[in-house]
Amino acid sequence: MTQHPASSIAGCTKCGCPSWRGCGLATRAVLLVSRYAAHEGGKEAVIRVEPENATAAAVAERAGFTPGKRTHGKDGTRLDWYIRRLRSETR
C-alpha cells in the first residue's frame, strides 16, 4: 500500500495467482486494505485500472469503488480511476 499523506489517498496494487482467480480473494484483499487505510486516517482509496482490464475493474466495483476520472500514467497509459470514500469503524 502506498499512502499519499498530503491528499489522504491510499493506493493498493494487487497481483493474483491464476489458480486462485475467481475465489474473491482480490476483493477481500482490497476490502482489508481499505479498512486498514481508514483505521490509519485515510479518507479515500483509489484503484487505477487500464481500461482493457475488466477483471480489475470488476474487483474495484465489488469492493464498493465507483468509477471516477480518467488520467494518463507517466508512460502515457490511460487509466480509469475507481474511488471509494473511507470511514473509520467505531466500536
Side-chain angles (χ1 to χ4, degrees), residues 36-73:
Y36 177 77
H39 178 74
E40 292 295 312
K43 304 294 182 214
E44 183 176 72
V46 175
I47 297 175
R48 291 176 295 238
V49 177
E50 292 180 8
E52 51 281 335
N53 191 341
T55 302
V59 167
E61 290 180 354
R62 280 194 301 271
F65 288 69
T66 56
K69 65 183 178 178
R70 289 185 168 168
T71 61
H72 289 84

Side-chain angles (χ1 to χ4, degrees), residues 3 7 12 16 27 62 66-67 80 84 87:
Q3 189 163 5
S7 58
C12 171
T27 302
R62 280 194 301 271
T66 56
D80 292 339
R84 180 177 178 197
R87 57 187 167 101

Side-chain angles (χ1 to χ4, degrees), residues 4 9 11 17 21 24-26 42 45 51 55-57 59 63 66 68 75-76 78 80:
H4 308 279
I9 297 174
C17 176
R21 289 187 184 148
L25 292 177
T55 302
V59 167
T66 56
D75 64 355
R78 197 173 103 210
D80 292 339

